Amino acid sequence: MNIKYDLIVIGGGALGAFHAYHALEAGLKVAVIEKDKQPISATVRNFGQVVPSGMDTKWQNYGRESLRIYDDIQSRFDISVRKNGSVYFASNDEEVQLIEELSIINKHNSYESHLLTKEQCLEKYPLLRNDYVKAGLFFPDEVTVEPRIMINRLLGFLIKEKGLDYFGNTKVLNCDASSEETTVVTASGEIYKASKVILCCGSEFKTLYPDIFAKSDLEVTKLQMLQTKPQPGYELKGSILTGLSIRRYEAFYECPSFTAIKAKEDPNSFEKKWGVHILFKQATDGSVIIGDSHEYADAANIDDLGFDLKMEVDDFMIAEAKKIFNLPTFEIQNRWYGMYSQCKENDIFQHTVDENIHIITGIGGKGMTGSAGFSKENIKNIFNLK
């Protein structure tokens, strides 16, 4: 290839695509190299909930910036963003206490949220069960996307409107840096050159830098999700998060009562064993996505997680979902699992091989919410932009 890029991004998922987006916005010449025709991993196997409300203060700030970025792109090109808010339903007095404390934290952080009474929750969310909900906390600025649509439209937008060069079905086998340029070699023998390279993927990281990968604290999370058939004549707006989410999401760790409430939980419960918390999101076809569970393994032992779907986990999630909503149908049309990498000790994995090759991966479950905002800051740091 005769073209020398300012930046080559290896990995076309949300984290890689948003790094490319911000580099293009800064006027840089950018290529994305993706091992598959289109991204098929964590970015397209999640709910599509963009919920800064569930994150700790650091990542909430990235998520809030992501909301602004999603809104800006959606105003120029339809990438499936719907601004329909998020809500947390408290099912008992302890969860009510936590959402009330988080509401106070939100006010200090100038992040808009509204406490909802039981009656307001039942009025705003049809078919929510009266015997489940006690109160709610609503975040009006949060959005949902359709993951499998969003990433492909985003990449299409970058190609069509921003001049991105996209190379799908391209496996990278080697990445070397000299003082003047970095050379990327693919399995088919193609050579690409750039001033800097960013790796936003686990697979190429493992292939290209096995020693660094082996010493990393990366672990892999496997999540099970289900999708109902379309709900006849029923609309469920936004991201729905429930009592088990309140007990799991990092934002609540900052609440004064969280530690004491968490200590009372049964460590041997089914939901603890399989890391279950119940989320709902209605897709544009009227179906409702329900999940999810969490199983963990060191990244080097990813095969230990297997490829099966555990029916006992799915059955438990459906039973719990029925305690929360009386949906018109709980007939399931799709079941699948997603996998993402995260760090045991850090919030994201960052390693600079030399000054021109940067490994950025292990963003965990924060990818759809945090990637856009984090990538903006990271591109500025890598290229010393103002």
Side-chain angles (χ1 to χ4, degrees):
M1 302 292 292
N2 294 323
I3 300 172
K4 180 179 177 181
Y5 296 95
D6 297 303
L7 173 65
I8 291 176
V9 179
I10 302 174
L15 189 58
F18 278 115
H19 273 90
Y21 168 77
H22 292 298
L24 290 163
E25 288 282 280
L28 303 178
K29 181 67 176 173
V30 182
V32 168
I33 301 178
E34 165 59 44
K35 65 180 176 61
D36 300 299
K37 181 180 179 181
Q38 299 168 328
I40 61 170
S41 298
T43 292
V44 301
R45 300 189 191 190
N46 64 82
F47 279 80
Q49 296 177 328
V50 183
V51 286
S53 55
M55 295 180 168
D56 63 24
T57 299
K58 174 184 175 180
W59 280 91
Q60 185 185 102
N61 289 331
Y62 287 137
R64 291 166 67 175
E65 181 61 26
S66 293
L67 291 176
R68 291 186 280 271
I69 293 164
Y70 276 117
D71 181 66
D72 180 59
I73 296 173
Q74 181 67 26
S75 70
R76 292 182 280 164
F77 194 91
D78 182 10
I79 59 169
S80 82
V81 175
R82 290 181 287 165
K83 185 178 179 181
N84 41 23
S86 302
V87 67
Y88 295 79
F89 291 134
S91 65
N92 57 40
D93 291 341
E94 290 179 335
E95 292 161 6
V96 170
Q97 184 173 353
L98 288 172
I99 64 171
E100 289 176 346
E101 291 175 356
L102 186 61
S103 175
I104 294 171
I105 292 172
N106 294 333
K107 289 178 182 178
H108 289 313
N109 292 342
S110 299
Y111 190 43
E112 185 177 359
S113 66
H114 305 285
L115 285 166
L116 304 178
T117 64
K118 177 187 182 83
E119 292 70 27
Q120 288 172 321
C121 291
L122 293 169
E123 180 180 359
K124 187 174 178 66
Y125 296 94
L127 304 186
L128 175 63
R129 289 187 55 144
N130 178 74
D131 58 351
Y132 177 82
V133 66
K134 279 185 166 288
L137 184 61
F138 179 66
F139 293 82
D141 293 331
E142 298 188 342
V143 306
T144 58
V145 301
E146 301 305 300
R148 300 175 191 183
I149 295 173
M150 186 284 290
I151 190 61
N152 293 313
R153 288 188 181 175
L154 174 61
L155 290 168
F157 168 67
L158 298 182
I159 293 166
K160 181 179 178 181
E161 303 293 338
K162 296 295 181 181
L164 173 71
D165 285 346
Y166 179 81
F167 303 99
N169 284 325
T170 303
K171 177 71 174 177
V172 174
L173 292 185
N174 193 45
C175 186
D176 287 319
S178 67
S179 58
E180 296 182 356
E181 63 185 14
T182 301
T183 301
V184 173
V185 181
T186 71
S188 58
E190 296 157 321
I191 298 174
Y192 300 89
K193 295 182 178 181
S195 298
K196 295 184 183 295
V197 171
I198 298 176
L199 282 78
C200 292
C201 49
S203 56
E204 278 84 353
F205 170 27
K206 182 178 180 180
T207 300
L208 297 174
Y209 303 102
D211 291 342
I212 299 173
F213 181 84
K215 294 175 182 177
S216 74
D217 69 337
L218 287 171
E219 64 179 2
V220 178
T221 305
K222 177 182 177 182
L223 311 93
Q224 290 185 202
M225 287 159 277
L226 312 99
Q227 184 178 26
T228 71
K229 289 190 173 181
Q231 303 288 330
Y234 178 70
E235 183 180 12
L236 182 62
K237 292 183 178 179
S239 297
I240 311 299
L241 306 102
T242 64
L244 291 177
S245 306
I246 292 170
R247 294 170 178 273
R248 181 179 179 88
Y249 273 21
E250 292 177 352
F252 294 94
Y253 291 20
E254 299 179 356
C255 294
S257 300
F258 183 82
T259 301
I261 289 173
K262 196 75 171 174
K264 299 177 185 178
E265 295 180 356
D266 178 6
N268 299 312
S269 65
F270 188 92
E271 59 266 29
K272 282 289 186 183
K273 178 180 178 180
W274 298 109
V276 174
H277 67 130
I278 305 301
L279 312 172
F280 301 83
K281 179 213 160 185
Q282 190 167 37
T284 52
D285 68 352
S287 63
V288 171
I289 301 172
I290 302 170
D292 53 8
S293 60
H294 298 75
E295 298 176 67
Y296 304 95
D298 289 343
N301 300 317
I302 186 173
D303 293 342
D304 291 350
L305 293 174
F307 53 83
D308 58 315
L309 291 169
K310 294 179 173 60
M311 293 304 297
E312 61 178 332
V313 173
D314 283 357
D315 290 344
F316 178 82
M317 291 193 294
I318 293 170
E320 290 299 304
K322 287 180 177 180
K323 296 176 184 177
I324 302 168
F325 275 99
N326 290 318
L327 295 179
T329 179
F330 276 94
E331 188 174 357
I332 302 300
Q333 64 174 343
N334 290 314
R335 304 171 187 259
W336 71 94
Y337 69 85
M339 298 183 100
Y340 60 67
S341 61
Q342 63 185 17
C343 295
K344 296 178 184 177
E345 302 297 332
N346 300 296
D347 52 4
I348 191 169
F349 183 86
Q350 299 185 79
H351 183 93
T352 300
V353 180
D354 58 44
E355 63 181 30
N356 293 324
I357 301 176
H358 304 269
I359 302 170
I360 314 292
T361 189
I363 195 171
K366 305 182 292 294
M368 194 63 74
T369 299
S371 289
F374 170 81
S375 299
K376 181 178 181 179
E377 179 181 286
N378 202 39
I379 286 294
K380 287 181 179 179
N381 292 337
I382 289 172
F383 285 93
N384 295 314
L385 303 174
K386 293 183 179 180

